[in-house]
Amino acid sequence: MKYVFFLCLLLIPAGPSISQIVTVVDKQTQKPVESVVITSREPHESTLTNTDGQADVSVFSGAEEIQIRHLGYITQFRSYLQLQDSHYKIELEQSSMNLNQVVVSASRWQQAFSNVPSTISVITPEVEALENPQTAADLLELSGKVFIQKSQQGGGSPMIRGFATNRLVYTVDGVRMNTAIFRGGNIQNVINLDPFATEKNEVLFGPGSVIYGSDAIGGVMTFLTLTPRLSITSEPVVTGKAVTRYSSANNEKTAHLDVNLGWKKWALVTSISTWNFDHLRQGSKGPDDYIKNLYVQRQDSTDVVITQDDPLLQIPSAYSQVNLMQKVRFQPSGNWDFQYGFHYSTTSAYGRYDRHNRFRNGTLRYAEWNYGPQLWMMHNLAATHKGNNLFYEEICLRIAQQSFEESRIDRSLNNDDRTTQTEKVKAYSANLDLVKALGPKNTLYYGVEYILDDVSSAGILCDIRTGSETAGPSRYPQSTWSSMAAYLNDAYRISDQFSLQAGLRYNRFHLEADFTDNLEFYPFPFASAEIDKGALTGSLGGVWRPSDSWIIKTNFGTAFRAPNVDDIGKVFDSEPGAVTVPNPDLEAEYAYNFDLGITKVFGEILKMDVAAYYTKLQNALVRRDFQLNGQDSILYGGTMSKVQAIQNAALANVYGIHAGIEIRLTRDFTLLSDLNYQKGTEELEDGTVSPSRHASPLFGISRLRYQHRNLTLELNTNYQGERSFEDLPAEEQAKDEIYAKDENGNNYSPAWYTLNFMALYKLNDTFSISCGVENLTDQRYRPYGSGISGAGRNVVLSLRAQF
């Protein structure tokens, strides 16, 4: 039925239109400015400029106020008549102190940052081109507000405001990426995204459940990939970019190409990226506890422990990755827009480095502990219509299907039995989002959502001597997880200085799990489990703008996380000597958050922003001691292990502050700095409290940037404060493979810094070259909670062609 619906849409006739082209240029250089957002409220229209700085503005005919916005430029307001008087040419004046950039993550629709009560950080392609992040996790770290944990080089688990993993939401082109097997431990799904193929990234801080549903407790990460650009003339347009890059610390060899081909009504964009990373070399100056100069090699049917020639190499950490994207756009008229996107990403198998650091009986515990290839594929079809009727001014129907595959492969040292557990998820989603202006001051955002995750899991035991395979225990039960929801979000502008935004969402979630396949391996007292419950969340926020240079925001919001398949049905070794088993008796956890943000601009010289927040998590899903058939310990992986399970058994609190500053020292020099402090506590089983695992230590980034004509130079420093043994979460204190040792021989996370230099030079309108040296002083450091050290001194060289 849904395919018939879309076929009917495609057959809608397109009416004639007359194009009127506006050109937007930089006032100083007179060069075109791409991706300028042009919007109006009456009529409700928006468009973007192309690579030539041009856009068709005929749809704005008669508009009394048209907003022209671009990050790094002063926002302009023109009527359509004024555009005509200027001969459809707009000159934008540069300003790093702009408060009016456009964001989409607050409501799924374009809104001015100054009207949104939530704190939102935007990462632009210009920053990506200068900083050269290797993965999407590294890209998020550039915000200066997101802490990244890594268990291996092929990873990156964001931590935001004391929450991580399944308490954060990832979206790609409006589609939820979270699945029913997102776990409470660290995850690396974000590396499936291609930094080269994104045109904008946003991070919303704090609860986002009203718009995004379950898991949106700590924040929402929004990735917007390249949009196919139509031609605004009768001639087809061909644009794109090609990038190649080398990094010395891991012998990175990366290549990327994207091409856009656009006509008046049809447009295509194709993107391909490949990465190849060798074993990562850590720095020479730092804790010796981070050095592991041993690894296992299979020789003549025997496991042999090898001593490395270079002790600073972290073996095994090498991996490779390929990403493909194909998008098609059809715009039969100014009111209809159809976009289809295909995304594919796969990695090679790669070692989980922290598990390779575990010792038993004086030697390495594992001969193998690897993740198999991590695969992600998505089909995404979106139909958008602009209308002026009783129900909406703009409506978007988005239907998506995603496939995920991941596996874990482990084998103990001198043991011939290899265990492989493979998980596959088929994720289906449908979102209907609408926006309706109820007047010049009131805008309603509302919609419905349906999600279905189909989880299959299998285990295989292989005798590597004979190659014989038998069925083994799976990580998860065969399961389905579904969610149905409706939401309503109202933005009301009381005056030019004050606006309110309030929202409400009701979510129904359902889970069915079948444990039959695992009953022969584990004596579960149940063969199936079912959860069918609901959750109600809301938010209320306000923005006060005393003047054009002040923004004061406050927001109160609730959020929830529904139990998923990972919570209810997983069997795994959570820590040495402990095994986590299924628990079907779970309910949703709820978060209550309050935050206050202040941004002040002092002329064209200084910009300061401060955000403080407090979050209370009730009925928290945490791992606690448990019994299975009356037993508090069972034999797992050949080791007698304490039984644990996920339970609604804790109260957690997180509070913190973020401070940012931007100083225009001279016309060409700018100083930027972001600093984050957070503290979290979690209730333990005995009633005492422990530091929260995902509340990071003090961290930040400071940048001194020089920009003159075609040259950009930057000297920056990343840093993290110490996390002492006493301040480590109880569950982290025994992880010898991750942390360094203090003077008392206890585990702790030392403070560290890196000093980095980056340069970008535009040779001409087509070619640019960027280079840099990261970790100039060759520090050996490891971000808190990470199982692998960061790169030592790293020389980066990249060549980019924009056409």
Side-chain angles (χ1 to χ4, degrees), residues 561-573:
R561 186 173 78 82
N564 64 16
V565 176
D566 185 85
D567 297 312
I568 196 175
K570 178 172 60 178
V571 180
F572 81 116
D573 54 333

Side-chain angles (χ1 to χ4, degrees), residues 542-595:
V543 181
W544 181 37
R545 298 169 295 276
S547 68
D548 292 339
S549 63
W550 276 97
I551 296 180
I552 300 174
K553 302 183 176 187
T554 185
N555 191 55
F556 172 77
T558 62
F560 79 101
R561 186 173 78 82
N564 64 16
V565 176
D566 185 85
D567 297 312
I568 196 175
K570 178 172 60 178
V571 180
F572 81 116
D573 54 333
S574 52
E575 58 189 60
V579 58
T580 297
V581 300
N583 176 18
D585 188 21
L586 296 177
E587 298 180 353
E589 58 183 13
Y590 280 87
Y592 302 86
N593 176 84
F594 176 79
D595 56 68

Side-chain angles (χ1 to χ4, degrees), residues 15-41:
S17 63
I18 300 175
S19 299
Q20 183 57 64
I21 309 303
V22 69
T23 302
V24 184
V25 299
D26 184 292
K27 184 176 181 179
Q28 180 182 355
T29 66
Q30 290 298 303
K31 291 184 177 181
V33 183
E34 183 184 4
S35 299
V36 176
V37 180
I38 304 174
T39 62
S40 71
R41 292 181 59 87

Side-chain angles (χ1 to χ4, degrees), residues 315-356:
I315 302 176
S317 60
Y319 81 104
S320 60
Q321 182 171 334
V322 174
N323 274 55
L324 303 173
M325 184 183 76
Q326 178 64 59
K327 299 180 81 172
V328 181
R329 183 180 185 183
F330 175 52
Q331 194 176 80
S333 70
N335 293 331
W336 286 99
D337 193 352
F338 301 91
Q339 294 191 41
Y340 165 76
F342 170 76
H343 302 260
Y344 177 82
S345 173
T346 184
T347 70
S348 64
Y350 50 92
R352 179 165 171 178
Y353 186 73
D354 60 341
R355 293 297 175 95
H356 282 273

Side-chain angles (χ1 to χ4, degrees), residues 20 22 38 40 42-43 57-68 77-90:
Q20 183 57 64
V22 69
I38 304 174
S40 71
E42 296 181 3
V57 293
S58 56
V59 293
F60 297 96
S61 179
E64 296 184 359
E65 183 179 89
I66 302 171
Q67 300 176 7
I68 302 100
F77 298 87
R78 304 276 188 92
S79 68
Y80 192 78
L81 287 176
Q82 287 173 326
L83 286 181
Q84 289 178 323
D85 293 340
S86 65
H87 303 290
Y88 297 98
K89 182 179 180 180
I90 300 171

Side-chain angles (χ1 to χ4, degrees), residues 362-402:
T363 188
L364 294 174
R365 175 176 179 178
Y366 293 106
E368 304 174 42
W369 211 118
N370 304 319
Y371 286 113
Q374 180 174 288
L375 183 147
W376 170 63
M377 184 171 64
M378 179 172 76
H379 299 273
N380 177 16
L381 180 62
T384 303
H385 179 250
K386 295 179 181 179
N388 188 14
N389 55 51
L390 180 63
F391 299 103
Y392 64 87
E393 291 184 354
E394 197 165 354
I395 184 173
C396 179
L397 175 63
R398 189 179 304 276
I399 298 174
Q401 187 271 323
Q402 300 178 80

Side-chain angles (χ1 to χ4, degrees), residues 739-766:
Y739 296 104
K741 300 291 185 182
D742 63 16
E743 56 187 11
N744 298 315
N746 295 319
N747 292 326
Y748 84 117
S749 179
W752 56 264
Y753 78 94
T754 62
L755 191 63
N756 317 283
F757 175 77
M758 308 303 296
L760 173 66
Y761 184 69
K762 295 182 179 180
L763 301 170
N764 51 43
D765 290 340
T766 301

